[in-house]
Amino acid sequence: MIVTESGRKLYNYKEVSALLGISSQTVQKYVKILEMSLYPVSGKLHFEESQILQVVEARNSIPKAQPGRKPKKDSK
């Protein structure tokens, strides 16, 4: 975590994935879907702390599939 002069807390992909318990690739997927703006610091992209909540909300809004259950198709 990096704290800027203005007091903003910035986290890199690795830190966000560790906080949320998901892979870095999944975090990248959410960034792309949500079209989030990232902050470059020392050659790495960082999230603002408030953006982590966006990832959590997006993650919670995706319905989870139950393993072994496929939706039934209507037969004609």
Side-chain angles (χ1 to χ4, degrees), residues 4-59:
T4 64
E5 291 178 8
S6 61
R8 291 190 303 180
K9 294 179 183 177
L10 302 177
Y11 298 83
N12 64 28
Y13 277 101
K14 217 178 212 182
E15 293 167 332
V16 173
S17 71
L19 285 170
L20 300 179
I22 57 178
S23 70
S24 294
Q25 291 84 6
T26 303
V27 174
Q28 290 174 4
K29 180 178 78 172
Y30 288 129
V31 167
K32 188 174 182 177
I33 291 170
L34 298 172
E35 299 178 358
M36 298 171 79
S37 57
L38 301 176
Y39 303 92
V41 178
S42 302
K44 290 186 178 182
L45 295 174
H46 290 78
F47 295 82
E48 193 170 353
E49 189 173 38
S50 63
Q51 291 175 308
I52 297 172
L53 294 175
Q54 288 180 309
V55 173
V56 170
E57 289 171 5
R59 185 174 171 212

Side-chain angles (χ1 to χ4, degrees), residues 53-75:
L53 294 175
Q54 288 180 309
V55 173
V56 170
E57 289 171 5
R59 185 174 171 212
N60 291 336
S61 68
I62 297 172
K64 299 201 189 308
Q66 293 180 346
R69 295 196 151 237
K70 293 183 181 180
K72 292 183 180 180
K73 294 182 180 179
D74 293 334
S75 58

